[in-house]
Amino acid sequence: MDQPTNQVSEKAFAFDIIERNSHSIATLSDSIFYFGEVGLQEHETSRLMTRLLETDGFAVTKGIAGFPTAFMATYGSGGPVIALHTEYDANPENSQAPGVTKRQAIIDGAPGHCEGHNVNAAVLIAAAISLKRTLERFNLPGTIKVLGAPAEELLLSRPYFVRDGYFDGVDAAFHPHLGGEFRTTYGITNSALVSAQFIFHGETAHASTGPWKGRDALDAVVLMDMGIAQYREHMRPTMRAHRAITNGGVQPNVIAAKAVSWWYFRDINGDGAREVFDRAIKIAKGAAMMTDTTVDVEVLSAVWPVRGNKVLAEIIERNIAQVGMPSWTNEEQVFARELQKQAGVDVEGLRDGYTPATKPAVQRSSSNDSGDITWVVPTGKISFPSTVPNLPYHNWVAGA
């Protein structure tokens, strides 16, 4: 990356720390990539991140908000209070050997980083240490709060950070996340979500010799699926509902006494997500009635849409212009185009210029548990070019 020019001495000092430690930052990212830990299991990842922060002089609190792999690290005193936060969990079943343009799992069936949260984590630690050393060197006032957020893919931890006051008194928050381009955004950028389990209870019986004696919880799960499938005709275009069956019984000749489906319900705002969720509850109760089973509903999480602050976006964009884009090698461009070809997306290679935020973002149907933060603290989102443009996340190509 070209060295930025025309900087004030403090910024030049901060950039120099990043440049001189670029190999270590990449090694940190690679280490977390190979840990490949899914949400709530990021023990090695969290241990490495907190150790680095502690070594550099941050005061670290582990296990915040009841999450063993969450943490908060602080340095400094007084204002302004700046929070940096990001995620570091992997995704199930997406193990992929890096630098390989064909499907090649490191371990078959294992988790893998197919949305670059390993890079997010390395960028978070690098930014925090660089900022902390700059405050020290120039005797600048202010407090840095670094928050490690586990289980983003479960849309889980950061609403609890807000609930428990970890963002109280914060003047501005920044969230780095890799992308296919160098940019920032403002406005509403993601959707609201409700995550819930539907736990059906029935009664076992021999599925061949006495099925009439049983009450099949799995039948209720199937009927709930059918009910939501019929409801889709009446959903607004922005609504989403998708599920995994996490318990479908034990074996075919035993009527299932318990079956569980786990659903995500989304819409462009909290009211819409709640509307889909409320309808799903009615459908689940109907499925239970038809099968003479009972159902319990367990809400696992609920998140607001992400809301980017325009003033912070303008500040970030000025810095993006100052930093500039990486100078890609021909080998990197060839690799990117081959991955794009494998994924069946537009083949354009890696982009040479950053994308200005000239208007509010187009709201996406994806969600992020950082949304709750953005409604209580002015927030800037930094998307840095560390993945191949156009690739679908949660697929092996994004982890290659």
Side-chain angles (χ1 to χ4, degrees), residues 254-388:
V254 178
I255 297 294
K258 181 179 179 180
V260 182
S261 57
W262 176 17
W263 286 84
Y264 282 180
F265 306 105
R266 311 185 200 238
D267 199 12
I268 55 175
N269 54 45
D271 289 343
R274 180 60 186 265
E275 180 182 336
V276 184
F277 173 52
D278 287 344
R279 180 66 70 91
I281 291 175
K282 293 179 180 179
I283 292 169
K285 289 179 177 178
M289 184 180 298
M290 286 188 284
T291 53
D292 195 23
T293 59
T294 61
V295 62
D296 297 323
V297 182
E298 180 182 355
V299 175
L300 301 177
S301 68
V303 301
W304 288 94
V306 175
R307 176 174 179 253
N309 182 275
K310 185 177 180 181
V311 173
L312 290 181
E314 291 169 346
I315 294 170
I316 292 169
E317 188 158 285
R318 290 197 295 270
N319 282 273
I320 287 174
Q322 192 173 32
V323 171
M325 289 291 292
S327 298
W328 309 115
T329 66
N330 182 66
E331 182 182 14
E332 289 169 334
Q333 290 286 10
V334 169
F335 177 76
R337 291 189 179 97
E338 180 59 28
L339 274 181
Q340 290 165 338
K341 181 180 177 182
Q342 287 286 333
V345 298
D346 289 343
V347 178
E348 60 171 292
L350 300 167
R351 294 173 185 168
D352 295 321
Y354 72 91
T355 305
T358 56
K359 56 185 178 181
V362 175
Q363 189 172 4
R364 301 190 301 271
S365 59
S366 59
S367 307
N368 190 287
D369 70 326
S370 65
D372 289 51
I373 296 168
T374 67
W375 293 91
V376 297
V377 177
T379 297
K381 178 76 174 287
I382 303 148
S383 179
F384 54 91
S386 191
T387 190
V388 175

